[in-house]
Amino acid sequence: MNLADTGPAAAQEVRTVCCYCGTGCGVIAEHDGRRITAVRGDPVHPANFGRLCTKGSTLHLAAAPGGRALFPELRNTRTEPRREVDWDTALEAAAERFAAIIAEHGPDAVAFYVSGQLLTEDYHVFNKLARALVGTNNIDSNSRLCMSSAVAGYKGTLGADSVPACYEDIAVAAHLLIAGANPAWAHPIVFRRIEDAKRANPELTITVVDPRRTETAEFADLHLQIAPGSDVLLYNAMLHVLLWEDLVDRDFIREHTSGFDALRAQLAECSPGNVAAACGLPAERIVEAAHRFGRARAALSLWCMGLNQSHHGTASNAALIHLHLATGQIGRPGAGPFSLTGQPNAMGGREVGAMATILPAHRDPADAADRAELARLWGVPALPETPGLAAVQLFDALADGRVKAVWIACTNPAHSLPDQARVRAALEKAEFVVLQEAFAGTETAPFADLLLPAASWGEKSGTVTNSERRVSRVRAAVPAPGEARPDWAIAADFARRLARRLGRPADGFAWADEAAVFAEHAALSAGRDCDLSGLSHALLDAQGPQQWPFPRGAATGTARLFTDGRFPTPDGRARFDPAGFPRRHALLPEPTDARHPFVLLSGRLRDHWHGMSRTGKVAGLWGHTPQAVAGLNPVDITRRGLRAGQLVRVAGRRGEVVLPLAADATVAPGQVWIPMHWGAATLARPGANGLTSPATDPLSKQPALKQAAVSIAPAELPWRAVWAMAVEDAAAPMAALQPVLGRFAYAAQSLAGGSRPVLVLRVADAAAPDEALLDPIDALFGCAAPQATLAYADRRRGIAKRAWVEEGRLAAIRLAGETAAADWLVAAIAAGEPAERLRAWLFAPLAGAPQGLAAASRTVCNCHGVSEAQIRDALTAGADLAQLQARLKCGTACGSCLPELRRLAAGPPPLSPCGRGAGGEGDMAVAAPSADAP
């Protein structure tokens, strides 16, 4: 593809790439020179051909300036607040502290923790800074939390971290095996391809392996709702069937693999009958899944966090890849093991080698020859031999004092790492914490001694690599706000200053621009399996996104790998890796018991991203899942005498969180579902990761973020209060509320509405707090006693309600002591209802909206603002899916809501994400999410 053939983008438009998941969608950003005003999908980008999901289509709203870090801030001691400083002062202070620690304690006393959301150029500079200048392998990425088991699985079986398949394979596959992933929500544009493939080829079969009945599982022909952690047993049992029924490719095994005999010897005891109970499946379902895979003309597997975020994630990856090796389903159209990358540039970070366990261009830090070659290319005497610390171990080392200083860039460990109490204690203990961040309100920001403002999406230039190895150009549309700088430039400036203090040359960090950084990165890959030495910014600008390998002199990229049956191993053969052989291991990272009888599952929602520093600012993206909830199977709710809507305390061995309970039949009995996005920025306590286990995979070092053992009990918190206020920019008031949340037993802030956003704060406690605690909240919401337009108080019952009317419309509300009307009043504020229409009902304890006022209803289609109530009304009137789309326009833009529209149009499913309604007084309104694979 030559972009020159399509004509240049119009003036005030820039072609770039979405900054969310690893699908790598092309985006055209419209701007006025100062702000990005609109976005649309790039019709010529081969990852998405113009499609965007709900998150991508609201990038211009997430790019609004609110909540940004604008100036460097420094503090000398932990007891004083940070003060604004200039860049010279900030970076000189950082260089001085790092140099002093290195001089006294050695290079391994400092560490760098970076991000799969950085650009490749940013990654490269940080990696060279850590290894070639400081002399430590203590650099890791938050990709450790999402993709490192896939890296280890690919290396152990195929010889290198090389994804062999591409998006085009979805259209020509005969069978899809989707494992531990919910692309319907986590990778919506990939799922659009799956829908297209099924529409074009009704004979295409789809098997989904997932402990939850996700939207993707509902779309499948076969859903294996396995017991959490039983993946290795399942895939080995499927291989047992393939071998028993001679559905393997013996020629491929003989000519292109090694190690199969050793695996076959261990498969005898791994029959479907023997493992069915442990997997929680009927044996015949395992046999059926094996038949679908083994008899397919071309079988393609897709997987994500459900396989990776496990204490045996490498084994799960290897066992799945073994199915492809045993059947020869690799290296040809429609076939192959295809891991879906979680973050926008986790793949680029894997190329760069910016994790403790890898070096650039798929080199190995444990290999002396690889270290020597890289040292020569970088012009340094040697690279460090001591193994680096992976993410969980890095923060353990901060906690016990082995690491004194940490530089954190573009990630939020005080939200995303497991065992949050320990992570936060480690950050408190660290001698010096640098946070290089675009957003000032993350949970990690309060721990930073030095905050460095970084440019964000739409403000910086470079490259990213998506799930199918496709390198795309990211381009700046507008200048960064305040004094924010591109990440690579900050790291290079610091490196030059540190080099002078360490008495070492600084010229290795004197790149003219990001194109020069990329050129150095690409040169390191020459002759390697991931050779991209033929790529440059200029070539990508001229010819568009390209897949590697793309060696020097190549005319085009490489869509599929291993088409010749040769693999990057010493003997050229793929390997049946012992890591994936059947063996006895604990299914879960920690066992359930009488005190902790439930398995906590965690994952992603459709419309939010990570810790919500971006998406959390966009009111429309809250519509589908309006607040954090704990989803529990209705059987468990009944059995334990609970009710949907009540507050419950979910407690584990490391922490607890209070949330409203939602009935959610997508989870099996004995499990509870809490999305990973909610943390201490929106809740009174850290969310799911305050409960998760710090256990890690022994090979990949990836933490087991998907499962933990917890208890669930009613939280007796009779005093309730709700505040709501129309806002233009929610970032500032949300940041102001964040320190207040932890003062209540339960607190949650969220957004509602669309074009008229509403900030909502819900709190609960055992007794009414002192008014002094409520006064600053009242003031922020415009409901302090002197400000409030209307007020009602019943001192005997402890009820105090206030309202603020502005220009004849309800602008804010405070309900304390009784909150039944909260939902419809929030909807009224969002709708800009005239105050006169509300006056008679404003302080009444009505759970339902008065006649003539719109009731609160969860949003199904964000693109067109279509609620579930509107859809159900249309269905009741006889509409089918096509008529829904024609009348309401839902499902006609990004398509992210199509799975749910299909389910609603089909009627009540066998397992449904229920819990849509609100309870009465004493309950917290809930809308149960359906979300990503565990």
mmCIF file with all atom_site columns, all heavy atoms in Angstrom, residues 113 142 145 309 411-420 423 443-444 610-611 676 689 692 703 705:
data_model
loop_
_atom_site.group_PDB
_atom_site.id
_atom_site.type_symbol
_atom_site.label_atom_id
_atom_site.label_alt_id
_atom_site.label_comp_id
_atom_site.label_asym_id
_atom_site.label_entity_id
_atom_site.label_seq_id
_atom_site.pdbx_PDB_ins_code
_atom_site.Cartn_x
_atom_site.Cartn_y
_atom_site.Cartn_z
_atom_site.occupancy
_atom_site.B_iso_or_equiv
_atom_site.pdbx_formal_charge
_atom_site.auth_seq_id
_atom_site.auth_comp_id
_atom_site.auth_asym_id
_atom_site.auth_atom_id
_atom_site.pdbx_PDB_model_num
ATOM 1   N N   . TYR A 1 113 ? 11.040  1.346   35.441 1.00 0.00 ? 113 TYR A N   1
ATOM 2   C CA  . TYR A 1 113 ? 9.802   0.603   35.197 1.00 0.00 ? 113 TYR A CA  1
ATOM 3   C C   . TYR A 1 113 ? 9.003   1.392   34.171 1.00 0.00 ? 113 TYR A C   1
ATOM 4   O O   . TYR A 1 113 ? 8.502   2.478   34.463 1.00 0.00 ? 113 TYR A O   1
ATOM 5   C CB  . TYR A 1 113 ? 9.021   0.434   36.500 1.00 0.00 ? 113 TYR A CB  1
ATOM 6   C CG  . TYR A 1 113 ? 7.803   -0.460  36.355 1.00 0.00 ? 113 TYR A CG  1
ATOM 7   C CD1 . TYR A 1 113 ? 7.919   -1.749  35.837 1.00 0.00 ? 113 TYR A CD1 1
ATOM 8   C CD2 . TYR A 1 113 ? 6.539   -0.023  36.735 1.00 0.00 ? 113 TYR A CD2 1
ATOM 9   C CE1 . TYR A 1 113 ? 6.800   -2.567  35.703 1.00 0.00 ? 113 TYR A CE1 1
ATOM 10  C CE2 . TYR A 1 113 ? 5.428   -0.838  36.616 1.00 0.00 ? 113 TYR A CE2 1
ATOM 11  C CZ  . TYR A 1 113 ? 5.563   -2.105  36.089 1.00 0.00 ? 113 TYR A CZ  1
ATOM 12  O OH  . TYR A 1 113 ? 4.462   -2.914  35.954 1.00 0.00 ? 113 TYR A OH  1
ATOM 13  N N   . ASN A 1 142 ? 5.491   -2.651  32.100 1.00 0.00 ? 142 ASN A N   1
ATOM 14  C CA  . ASN A 1 142 ? 4.208   -3.195  32.512 1.00 0.00 ? 142 ASN A CA  1
ATOM 15  C C   . ASN A 1 142 ? 3.682   -4.232  31.525 1.00 0.00 ? 142 ASN A C   1
ATOM 16  O O   . ASN A 1 142 ? 2.680   -4.894  31.792 1.00 0.00 ? 142 ASN A O   1
ATOM 17  C CB  . ASN A 1 142 ? 3.181   -2.087  32.766 1.00 0.00 ? 142 ASN A CB  1
ATOM 18  C CG  . ASN A 1 142 ? 2.832   -1.285  31.530 1.00 0.00 ? 142 ASN A CG  1
ATOM 19  O OD1 . ASN A 1 142 ? 3.209   -1.614  30.418 1.00 0.00 ? 142 ASN A OD1 1
ATOM 20  N ND2 . ASN A 1 142 ? 2.091   -0.202  31.736 1.00 0.00 ? 142 ASN A ND2 1
ATOM 21  N N   . LEU A 1 145 ? 3.059   -7.556  32.901 1.00 0.00 ? 145 LEU A N   1
ATOM 22  C CA  . LEU A 1 145 ? 1.762   -7.892  33.476 1.00 0.00 ? 145 LEU A CA  1
ATOM 23  C C   . LEU A 1 145 ? 0.796   -8.459  32.451 1.00 0.00 ? 145 LEU A C   1
ATOM 24  O O   . LEU A 1 145 ? -0.246  -9.003  32.827 1.00 0.00 ? 145 LEU A O   1
ATOM 25  C CB  . LEU A 1 145 ? 1.121   -6.650  34.115 1.00 0.00 ? 145 LEU A CB  1
ATOM 26  C CG  . LEU A 1 145 ? 1.990   -5.807  35.039 1.00 0.00 ? 145 LEU A CG  1
ATOM 27  C CD1 . LEU A 1 145 ? 1.175   -4.684  35.645 1.00 0.00 ? 145 LEU A CD1 1
ATOM 28  C CD2 . LEU A 1 145 ? 2.637   -6.650  36.115 1.00 0.00 ? 145 LEU A CD2 1
ATOM 29  N N   . GLN A 1 309 ? -1.973  -14.174 32.277 1.00 0.00 ? 309 GLN A N   1
ATOM 30  C CA  . GLN A 1 309 ? -1.927  -13.691 33.659 1.00 0.00 ? 309 GLN A CA  1
ATOM 31  C C   . GLN A 1 309 ? -2.201  -14.837 34.623 1.00 0.00 ? 309 GLN A C   1
ATOM 32  O O   . GLN A 1 309 ? -3.223  -14.898 35.290 1.00 0.00 ? 309 GLN A O   1
ATOM 33  C CB  . GLN A 1 309 ? -2.928  -12.549 33.850 1.00 0.00 ? 309 GLN A CB  1
ATOM 34  C CG  . GLN A 1 309 ? -2.489  -11.285 33.146 1.00 0.00 ? 309 GLN A CG  1
ATOM 35  C CD  . GLN A 1 309 ? -3.451  -10.129 33.327 1.00 0.00 ? 309 GLN A CD  1
ATOM 36  O OE1 . GLN A 1 309 ? -4.650  -10.322 33.519 1.00 0.00 ? 309 GLN A OE1 1
ATOM 37  N NE2 . GLN A 1 309 ? -2.942  -8.910  33.258 1.00 0.00 ? 309 GLN A NE2 1
ATOM 38  N N   . THR A 1 411 ? 3.252   4.542   33.379 1.00 0.00 ? 411 THR A N   1
ATOM 39  C CA  . THR A 1 411 ? 2.528   3.417   33.951 1.00 0.00 ? 411 THR A CA  1
ATOM 40  C C   . THR A 1 411 ? 2.178   3.742   35.394 1.00 0.00 ? 411 THR A C   1
ATOM 41  O O   . THR A 1 411 ? 2.731   4.680   35.978 1.00 0.00 ? 411 THR A O   1
ATOM 42  C CB  . THR A 1 411 ? 3.342   2.114   33.829 1.00 0.00 ? 411 THR A CB  1
ATOM 43  O OG1 . THR A 1 411 ? 2.543   1.012   34.249 1.00 0.00 ? 411 THR A OG1 1
ATOM 44  C CG2 . THR A 1 411 ? 4.631   2.167   34.638 1.00 0.00 ? 411 THR A CG2 1
ATOM 45  N N   . ASN A 1 412 ? 1.291   2.955   35.964 1.00 0.00 ? 412 ASN A N   1
ATOM 46  C CA  . ASN A 1 412 ? 0.662   3.307   37.231 1.00 0.00 ? 412 ASN A CA  1
ATOM 47  C C   . ASN A 1 412 ? 0.693   2.105   38.179 1.00 0.00 ? 412 ASN A C   1
ATOM 48  O O   . ASN A 1 412 ? -0.331  1.482   38.441 1.00 0.00 ? 412 ASN A O   1
ATOM 49  C CB  . ASN A 1 412 ? -0.778  3.749   36.949 1.00 0.00 ? 412 ASN A CB  1
ATOM 50  C CG  . ASN A 1 412 ? -1.499  4.278   38.166 1.00 0.00 ? 412 ASN A CG  1
ATOM 51  O OD1 . ASN A 1 412 ? -0.888  4.612   39.180 1.00 0.00 ? 412 ASN A OD1 1
ATOM 52  N ND2 . ASN A 1 412 ? -2.811  4.354   38.077 1.00 0.00 ? 412 ASN A ND2 1
ATOM 53  N N   . PRO A 1 413 ? 1.878   1.750   38.701 1.00 0.00 ? 413 PRO A N   1
ATOM 54  C CA  . PRO A 1 413 ? 1.984   0.552   39.529 1.00 0.00 ? 413 PRO A CA  1
ATOM 55  C C   . PRO A 1 413 ? 1.140   0.588   40.799 1.00 0.00 ? 413 PRO A C   1
ATOM 56  O O   . PRO A 1 413 ? 0.784   -0.470  41.324 1.00 0.00 ? 413 PRO A O   1
ATOM 57  C CB  . PRO A 1 413 ? 3.479   0.465   39.849 1.00 0.00 ? 413 PRO A CB  1
ATOM 58  C CG  . PRO A 1 413 ? 3.990   1.854   39.665 1.00 0.00 ? 413 PRO A CG  1
ATOM 59  C CD  . PRO A 1 413 ? 3.177   2.435   38.545 1.00 0.00 ? 413 PRO A CD  1
ATOM 60  N N   . ALA A 1 414 ? 0.806   1.771   41.296 1.00 0.00 ? 414 ALA A N   1
ATOM 61  C CA  . ALA A 1 414 ? -0.041  1.864   42.485 1.00 0.00 ? 414 ALA A CA  1
ATOM 62  C C   . ALA A 1 414 ? -1.500  1.572   42.162 1.00 0.00 ? 414 ALA A C   1
ATOM 63  O O   . ALA A 1 414 ? -2.372  1.742   43.020 1.00 0.00 ? 414 ALA A O   1
ATOM 64  C CB  . ALA A 1 414 ? 0.085   3.248   43.126 1.00 0.00 ? 414 ALA A CB  1
ATOM 65  N N   . HIS A 1 415 ? -1.747  1.122   40.960 1.00 0.00 ? 415 HIS A N   1
ATOM 66  C CA  . HIS A 1 415 ? -3.064  0.604   40.568 1.00 0.00 ? 415 HIS A CA  1
ATOM 67  C C   . HIS A 1 415 ? -2.948  -0.791  39.964 1.00 0.00 ? 415 HIS A C   1
ATOM 68  O O   . HIS A 1 415 ? -3.759  -1.665  40.256 1.00 0.00 ? 415 HIS A O   1
ATOM 69  C CB  . HIS A 1 415 ? -3.717  1.532   39.551 1.00 0.00 ? 415 HIS A CB  1
ATOM 70  C CG  . HIS A 1 415 ? -4.998  0.994   38.978 1.00 0.00 ? 415 HIS A CG  1
ATOM 71  N ND1 . HIS A 1 415 ? -6.238  1.396   39.417 1.00 0.00 ? 415 HIS A ND1 1
ATOM 72  C CD2 . HIS A 1 415 ? -5.246  0.071   38.020 1.00 0.00 ? 415 HIS A CD2 1
ATOM 73  C CE1 . HIS A 1 415 ? -7.180  0.748   38.761 1.00 0.00 ? 415 HIS A CE1 1
ATOM 74  N NE2 . HIS A 1 415 ? -6.600  -0.076  37.895 1.00 0.00 ? 415 HIS A NE2 1
ATOM 75  N N   . SER A 1 416 ? -1.950  -1.014  39.114 1.00 0.00 ? 416 SER A N   1
ATOM 76  C CA  . SER A 1 416 ? -1.966  -2.166  38.221 1.00 0.00 ? 416 SER A CA  1
ATOM 77  C C   . SER A 1 416 ? -1.255  -3.401  38.752 1.00 0.00 ? 416 SER A C   1
ATOM 78  O O   . SER A 1 416 ? -1.550  -4.517  38.309 1.00 0.00 ? 416 SER A O   1
ATOM 79  C CB  . SER A 1 416 ? -1.345  -1.781  36.874 1.00 0.00 ? 416 SER A CB  1
ATOM 80  O OG  . SER A 1 416 ? -0.018  -1.298  37.047 1.00 0.00 ? 416 SER A OG  1
ATOM 81  N N   . LEU A 1 417 ? -0.318  -3.264  39.659 1.00 0.00 ? 417 LEU A N   1
ATOM 82  C CA  . LEU A 1 417 ? 0.390   -4.421  40.181 1.00 0.00 ? 417 LEU A CA  1
ATOM 83  C C   . LEU A 1 417 ? -0.449  -5.164  41.218 1.00 0.00 ? 417 LEU A C   1
ATOM 84  O O   . LEU A 1 417 ? -1.306  -4.563  41.873 1.00 0.00 ? 417 LEU A O   1
ATOM 85  C CB  . LEU A 1 417 ? 1.717   -3.997  40.812 1.00 0.00 ? 417 LEU A CB  1
ATOM 86  C CG  . LEU A 1 417 ? 2.865   -3.707  39.838 1.00 0.00 ? 417 LEU A CG  1
ATOM 87  C CD1 . LEU A 1 417 ? 4.003   -3.024  40.558 1.00 0.00 ? 417 LEU A CD1 1
ATOM 88  C CD2 . LEU A 1 417 ? 3.349   -4.972  39.152 1.00 0.00 ? 417 LEU A CD2 1
ATOM 89  N N   . PRO A 1 418 ? -0.201  -6.454  41.411 1.00 0.00 ? 418 PRO A N   1
ATOM 90  C CA  . PRO A 1 418 ? -0.934  -7.192  42.447 1.00 0.00 ? 418 PRO A CA  1
ATOM 91  C C   . PRO A 1 418 ? -0.462  -6.820  43.842 1.00 0.00 ? 418 PRO A C   1
ATOM 92  O O   . PRO A 1 418 ? 0.596   -6.203  44.004 1.00 0.00 ? 418 PRO A O   1
ATOM 93  C CB  . PRO A 1 418 ? -0.604  -8.654  42.126 1.00 0.00 ? 418 PRO A CB  1
ATOM 94  C CG  . PRO A 1 418 ? 0.746   -8.593  41.482 1.00 0.00 ? 418 PRO A CG  1
ATOM 95  C CD  . PRO A 1 418 ? 0.748   -7.326  40.678 1.00 0.00 ? 418 PRO A CD  1
ATOM 96  N N   . ASP A 1 419 ? -1.246  -7.227  44.839 1.00 0.00 ? 419 ASP A N   1
ATOM 97  C CA  . ASP A 1 419 ? -0.895  -7.016  46.237 1.00 0.00 ? 419 ASP A CA  1
ATOM 98  C C   . ASP A 1 419 ? -0.556  -5.549  46.496 1.00 0.00 ? 419 ASP A C   1
ATOM 99  O O   . ASP A 1 419 ? 0.558   -5.189  46.872 1.00 0.00 ? 419 ASP A O   1
ATOM 100 C CB  . ASP A 1 419 ? 0.280   -7.921  46.632 1.00 0.00 ? 419 ASP A CB  1
ATOM 101 C CG  . ASP A 1 419 ? 0.484   -7.995  48.141 1.00 0.00 ? 419 ASP A CG  1
ATOM 102 O OD1 . ASP A 1 419 ? -0.291  -7.362  48.877 1.00 0.00 ? 419 ASP A OD1 1
ATOM 103 O OD2 . ASP A 1 419 ? 1.428   -8.689  48.575 1.00 0.00 ? 419 ASP A OD2 1
ATOM 104 N N   . GLN A 1 420 ? -1.552  -4.685  46.276 1.00 0.00 ? 420 GLN A N   1
ATOM 105 C CA  . GLN A 1 420 ? -1.342  -3.251  46.324 1.00 0.00 ? 420 GLN A CA  1
ATOM 106 C C   . GLN A 1 420 ? -0.788  -2.750  47.655 1.00 0.00 ? 420 GLN A C   1
ATOM 107 O O   . GLN A 1 420 ? -0.029  -1.784  47.678 1.00 0.00 ? 420 GLN A O   1
ATOM 108 C CB  . GLN A 1 420 ? -2.652  -2.538  46.001 1.00 0.00 ? 420 GLN A CB  1
ATOM 109 C CG  . GLN A 1 420 ? -2.896  -2.395  44.515 1.00 0.00 ? 420 GLN A CG  1
ATOM 110 C CD  . GLN A 1 420 ? -1.905  -1.451  43.870 1.00 0.00 ? 420 GLN A CD  1
ATOM 111 O OE1 . GLN A 1 420 ? -1.850  -0.269  44.204 1.00 0.00 ? 420 GLN A OE1 1
ATOM 112 N NE2 . GLN A 1 420 ? -1.120  -1.958  42.937 1.00 0.00 ? 420 GLN A NE2 1
ATOM 113 N N   . VAL A 1 423 ? 2.921   -3.015  47.329 1.00 0.00 ? 423 VAL A N   1
ATOM 114 C CA  . VAL A 1 423 ? 3.453   -2.090  46.326 1.00 0.00 ? 423 VAL A CA  1
ATOM 115 C C   . VAL A 1 423 ? 3.504   -0.675  46.887 1.00 0.00 ? 423 VAL A C   1
ATOM 116 O O   . VAL A 1 423 ? 4.510   0.039   46.741 1.00 0.00 ? 423 VAL A O   1
ATOM 117 C CB  . VAL A 1 423 ? 2.593   -2.138  45.054 1.00 0.00 ? 423 VAL A CB  1
ATOM 118 C CG1 . VAL A 1 423 ? 2.984   -1.024  44.085 1.00 0.00 ? 423 VAL A CG1 1
ATOM 119 C CG2 . VAL A 1 423 ? 2.725   -3.500  44.380 1.00 0.00 ? 423 VAL A CG2 1
ATOM 120 N N   . GLU A 1 443 ? -2.873  7.057   40.649 1.00 0.00 ? 443 GLU A N   1
ATOM 121 C CA  . GLU A 1 443 ? -2.639  6.619   42.027 1.00 0.00 ? 443 GLU A CA  1
ATOM 122 C C   . GLU A 1 443 ? -1.161  6.650   42.406 1.00 0.00 ? 443 GLU A C   1
ATOM 123 O O   . GLU A 1 443 ? -0.805  6.736   43.579 1.00 0.00 ? 443 GLU A O   1
ATOM 124 C CB  . GLU A 1 443 ? -3.184  5.200   42.222 1.00 0.00 ? 443 GLU A CB  1
ATOM 125 C CG  . GLU A 1 443 ? -4.698  5.108   42.257 1.00 0.00 ? 443 GLU A CG  1
ATOM 126 C CD  . GLU A 1 443 ? -5.300  4.790   40.910 1.00 0.00 ? 443 GLU A CD  1
ATOM 127 O OE1 . GLU A 1 443 ? -4.681  5.145   39.869 1.00 0.00 ? 443 GLU A OE1 1
ATOM 128 O OE2 . GLU A 1 443 ? -6.383  4.186   40.873 1.00 0.00 ? 443 GLU A OE2 1
ATOM 129 N N   . THR A 1 444 ? -0.269  6.555   41.412 1.00 0.00 ? 444 THR A N   1
ATOM 130 C CA  . THR A 1 444 ? 1.167   6.569   41.696 1.00 0.00 ? 444 THR A CA  1
ATOM 131 C C   . THR A 1 444 ? 1.687   7.974   41.963 1.00 0.00 ? 444 THR A C   1
ATOM 132 O O   . THR A 1 444 ? 2.696   8.142   42.651 1.00 0.00 ? 444 THR A O   1
ATOM 133 C CB  . THR A 1 444 ? 1.934   5.933   40.518 1.00 0.00 ? 444 THR A CB  1
ATOM 134 O OG1 . THR A 1 444 ? 1.414   4.618   40.277 1.00 0.00 ? 444 THR A OG1 1
ATOM 135 C CG2 . THR A 1 444 ? 3.419   5.809   40.800 1.00 0.00 ? 444 THR A CG2 1
ATOM 136 N N   . HIS A 1 610 ? -7.426  0.312   31.223 1.00 0.00 ? 610 HIS A N   1
ATOM 137 C CA  . HIS A 1 610 ? -6.486  0.264   32.344 1.00 0.00 ? 610 HIS A CA  1
ATOM 138 C C   . HIS A 1 610 ? -7.030  1.022   33.554 1.00 0.00 ? 610 HIS A C   1
ATOM 139 O O   . HIS A 1 610 ? -8.128  0.747   34.023 1.00 0.00 ? 610 HIS A O   1
ATOM 140 C CB  . HIS A 1 610 ? -5.125  0.778   31.887 1.00 0.00 ? 610 HIS A CB  1
ATOM 141 C CG  . HIS A 1 610 ? -4.410  -0.225  31.029 1.00 0.00 ? 610 HIS A CG  1
ATOM 142 N ND1 . HIS A 1 610 ? -3.067  -0.186  30.792 1.00 0.00 ? 610 HIS A ND1 1
ATOM 143 C CD2 . HIS A 1 610 ? -4.855  -1.319  30.366 1.00 0.00 ? 610 HIS A CD2 1
ATOM 144 C CE1 . HIS A 1 610 ? -2.710  -1.197  30.022 1.00 0.00 ? 610 HIS A CE1 1
ATOM 145 N NE2 . HIS A 1 610 ? -3.786  -1.889  29.742 1.00 0.00 ? 610 HIS A NE2 1
ATOM 146 N N   . GLY A 1 611 ? -6.286  2.005   34.084 1.00 0.00 ? 611 GLY A N   1
ATOM 147 C CA  . GLY A 1 611 ? -6.721  2.714   35.285 1.00 0.00 ? 611 GLY A CA  1
ATOM 148 C C   . GLY A 1 611 ? -7.581  3.917   35.010 1.00 0.00 ? 611 GLY A C   1
ATOM 149 O O   . GLY A 1 611 ? -7.824  4.727   35.910 1.00 0.00 ? 611 GLY A O   1
ATOM 150 N N   . MET A 1 676 ? -10.881 -4.787  36.329 1.00 0.00 ? 676 MET A N   1
ATOM 151 C CA  . MET A 1 676 ? -9.591  -4.320  36.840 1.00 0.00 ? 676 MET A CA  1
ATOM 152 C C   . MET A 1 676 ? -9.429  -2.800  36.811 1.00 0.00 ? 676 MET A C   1
ATOM 153 O O   . MET A 1 676 ? -8.460  -2.271  37.345 1.00 0.00 ? 676 MET A O   1
ATOM 154 C CB  . MET A 1 676 ? -8.453  -4.950  36.031 1.00 0.00 ? 676 MET A CB  1
ATOM 155 C CG  . MET A 1 676 ? -8.551  -4.733  34.517 1.00 0.00 ? 676 MET A CG  1
ATOM 156 S SD  . MET A 1 676 ? -7.882  -3.175  33.877 1.00 0.00 ? 676 MET A SD  1
ATOM 157 C CE  . MET A 1 676 ? -6.148  -3.489  34.026 1.00 0.00 ? 676 MET A CE  1
ATOM 158 N N   . ASN A 1 689 ? -6.936  -5.250  42.403 1.00 0.00 ? 689 ASN A N   1
ATOM 159 C CA  . ASN A 1 689 ? -5.521  -5.522  42.657 1.00 0.00 ? 689 ASN A CA  1
ATOM 160 C C   . ASN A 1 689 ? -5.105  -5.282  44.102 1.00 0.00 ? 689 ASN A C   1
ATOM 161 O O   . ASN A 1 689 ? -3.951  -5.521  44.462 1.00 0.00 ? 689 ASN A O   1
ATOM 162 C CB  . ASN A 1 689 ? -4.646  -4.722  41.697 1.00 0.00 ? 689 ASN A CB  1
ATOM 163 C CG  . ASN A 1 689 ? -4.683  -5.301  40.300 1.00 0.00 ? 689 ASN A CG  1
ATOM 164 O OD1 . ASN A 1 689 ? -4.949  -6.488  40.115 1.00 0.00 ? 689 ASN A OD1 1
ATOM 165 N ND2 . ASN A 1 689 ? -4.424  -4.481  39.301 1.00 0.00 ? 689 ASN A ND2 1
ATOM 166 N N   . THR A 1 692 ? -5.482  -9.234  44.638 1.00 0.00 ? 692 THR A N   1
ATOM 167 C CA  . THR A 1 692 ? -4.818  -10.243 43.813 1.00 0.00 ? 692 THR A CA  1
ATOM 168 C C   . THR A 1 692 ? -3.508  -10.724 44.416 1.00 0.00 ? 692 THR A C   1
ATOM 169 O O   . THR A 1 692 ? -2.855  -10.036 45.191 1.00 0.00 ? 692 THR A O   1
ATOM 170 C CB  . THR A 1 692 ? -4.570  -9.710  42.400 1.00 0.00 ? 692 THR A CB  1
ATOM 171 O OG1 . THR A 1 692 ? -3.987  -8.405  42.478 1.00 0.00 ? 692 THR A OG1 1
ATOM 172 C CG2 . THR A 1 692 ? -5.861  -9.631  41.612 1.00 0.00 ? 692 THR A CG2 1
ATOM 173 N N   . PRO A 1 703 ? 2.737   -11.974 36.753 1.00 0.00 ? 703 PRO A N   1
ATOM 174 C CA  . PRO A 1 703 ? 1.903   -12.235 37.929 1.00 0.00 ? 703 PRO A CA  1
ATOM 175 C C   . PRO A 1 703 ? 0.552   -12.835 37.574 1.00 0.00 ? 703 PRO A C   1
ATOM 176 O O   . PRO A 1 703 ? 0.019   -12.636 36.482 1.00 0.00 ? 703 PRO A O   1
ATOM 177 C CB  . PRO A 1 703 ? 1.738   -10.851 38.565 1.00 0.00 ? 703 PRO A CB  1
ATOM 178 C CG  . PRO A 1 703 ? 1.953   -9.885  37.450 1.00 0.00 ? 703 PRO A CG  1
ATOM 179 C CD  . PRO A 1 703 ? 2.920   -10.535 36.511 1.00 0.00 ? 703 PRO A CD  1
ATOM 180 N N   . LEU A 1 705 ? -2.644  -12.303 37.886 1.00 0.00 ? 705 LEU A N   1
ATOM 181 C CA  . LEU A 1 705 ? -3.608  -11.250 38.193 1.00 0.00 ? 705 LEU A CA  1
ATOM 182 C C   . LEU A 1 705 ? -5.057  -11.671 38.026 1.00 0.00 ? 705 LEU A C   1
ATOM 183 O O   . LEU A 1 705 ? -5.965  -10.950 38.432 1.00 0.00 ? 705 LEU A O   1
ATOM 184 C CB  . LEU A 1 705 ? -3.341  -10.039 37.293 1.00 0.00 ? 705 LEU A CB  1
ATOM 185 C CG  . LEU A 1 705 ? -2.122  -9.195  37.664 1.00 0.00 ? 705 LEU A CG  1
ATOM 186 C CD1 . LEU A 1 705 ? -1.743  -8.275  36.513 1.00 0.00 ? 705 LEU A CD1 1
ATOM 187 C CD2 . LEU A 1 705 ? -2.395  -8.381  38.914 1.00 0.00 ? 705 LEU A CD2 1
#
